[in-house]
């Protein structure tokens, strides 16, 4: 399972995850606006979403999304629409991205992280277009694919955990007085921006 390609793949995964993207932006917003616990729970949902996509890629299901323009487009627009829905709820003060909802339970944050990655074709593209380049054809393919997929999920989760903890440190200041209302509006705008970023970053 562990071939000479593993360390180059590990370095690639780290560099990709350190590049700002929609997941990082959303976790940072969640941590600052709602708190550390919500951001950590969202991170767990993202990790499971990535793991599911990685497993699907290992069994060839992600290649179907890559090969079908209609399915790929459906995933793109569904993911962006989900983010825009969250932005609208936050703007109206009824959403999860607002301090007054911070103590209503964190299952919703896990669900958001999970859905955002299941609907993210960019994740499927990584497992289909990049990961296979590090598989040694001279060794059993399936064990290598599963190991590399698990490695990528672990790297992504570690980066997201660190970001969630750092963003959570700013939550105390943001929830004071009118800061909470201002931040909710800003978060709504930024989440909408992340939705369009999501579309742009997954464009083919």
């Amino acid at each position: 399972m562990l071939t000479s390609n593993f360390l180059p793949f590990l370095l690639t995964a780290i560099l990709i995850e350190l590049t700002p993207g929609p997941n990082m932006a959303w976790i940072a917003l969640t941590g600052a606006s709602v708190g550390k616990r919500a951001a950590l729970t969202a991170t767990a949902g993202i990790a499971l979403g990535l793991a599911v996509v990685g497993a699907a890629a290992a069994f060839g299901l992600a290649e179907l999304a890559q090969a079908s323009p209609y399915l790929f487009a459906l995933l793109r627009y569904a993911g962006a629409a989900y983010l825009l829905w969250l932005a609208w709820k936050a703007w109206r003060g009824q959403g999860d991205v607002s301090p007054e909802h911070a103590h209503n339970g964190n299952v919703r944050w896990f669900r958001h992280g999970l859905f955002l990655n299941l609907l993210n074709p960019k994740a499927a593209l990584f497992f289909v277009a990049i990961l296979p380049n590090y598989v040694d054809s001279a060794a059993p393919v399936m064990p290598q694919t599963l190991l590399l997929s698990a490695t990528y999920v672990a790297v992504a989760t570690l980066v997201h955990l660190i970001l969630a903890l750092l963003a959570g440190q700013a939550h105390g200041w943001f929830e004071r007085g009118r800061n909470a209302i201002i931040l909710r509006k800003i978060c709504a705008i930024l989440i909408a921006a992340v939705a369009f970023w999501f579309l742009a970053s997954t464009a083919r």
Side-chain angles (χ1 to χ4, degrees):
M1 291 177 63
L2 198 61
T3 70
S4 59
N5 293 333
F6 179 78
L7 289 180
F9 174 81
L10 179 61
L11 178 60
T12 300
I14 292 173
L15 292 176
I16 288 176
E17 282 307 307
L18 290 179
T19 303
N23 275 340
M24 293 181 70
W26 185 67
I27 288 175
L29 288 172
T30 300
S33 61
V34 184
K36 179 174 63 178
R37 180 174 296 181
L40 291 174
T41 307
T43 297
I46 289 173
L48 179 58
L50 287 175
V52 171
V53 173
F59 291 99
L61 298 179
E63 293 183 21
L64 176 62
Q66 168 69 354
S68 172
Y70 297 107
L71 180 55
F72 188 91
L74 177 63
L75 290 173
R76 285 184 69 230
Y77 289 117
Y82 191 73
L83 282 168
L84 289 173
W85 174 70
L86 292 179
W88 174 245
K89 289 182 67 181
W91 180 266
R92 297 186 62 190
Q94 299 174 346
D96 303 319
V97 185
S98 55
E100 57 264 35
H101 289 80
H103 305 293
N104 290 351
N106 293 296
V107 173
R108 70 191 69 185
W109 294 104
F110 182 88
R111 184 177 67 242
H112 290 335
L114 175 62
F115 285 173
L116 285 174
N117 279 271
L118 291 179
L119 296 173
N120 183 2
K122 190 175 182 180
L125 279 176
F126 173 86
F127 289 110
V128 172
I130 297 178
L131 186 146
N133 295 320
Y134 295 89
V135 174
D136 186 350
S137 59
V141 173
M142 181 62 73
Q144 290 182 75
T145 302
L146 293 175
L147 174 63
L148 295 179
S149 298
T151 299
Y152 177 71
V153 173
V155 169
T157 302
L158 179 59
V159 171
H160 293 156
L161 281 174
I162 294 173
L163 181 60
L165 292 172
L166 292 176
Q169 295 300 314
H171 174 60
W173 183 88
F174 282 120
E175 69 176 354
R176 295 173 191 163
R178 288 185 56 81
N179 293 344
I181 299 174
I182 295 172
L183 179 66
R184 190 184 71 229
K185 299 294 186 182
I186 292 174
C187 279
I189 294 172
L190 291 178
I191 291 173
V194 169
F196 292 108
W197 183 5
F198 177 89
L199 284 175
S201 66
T202 55
R204 299 177 65 174

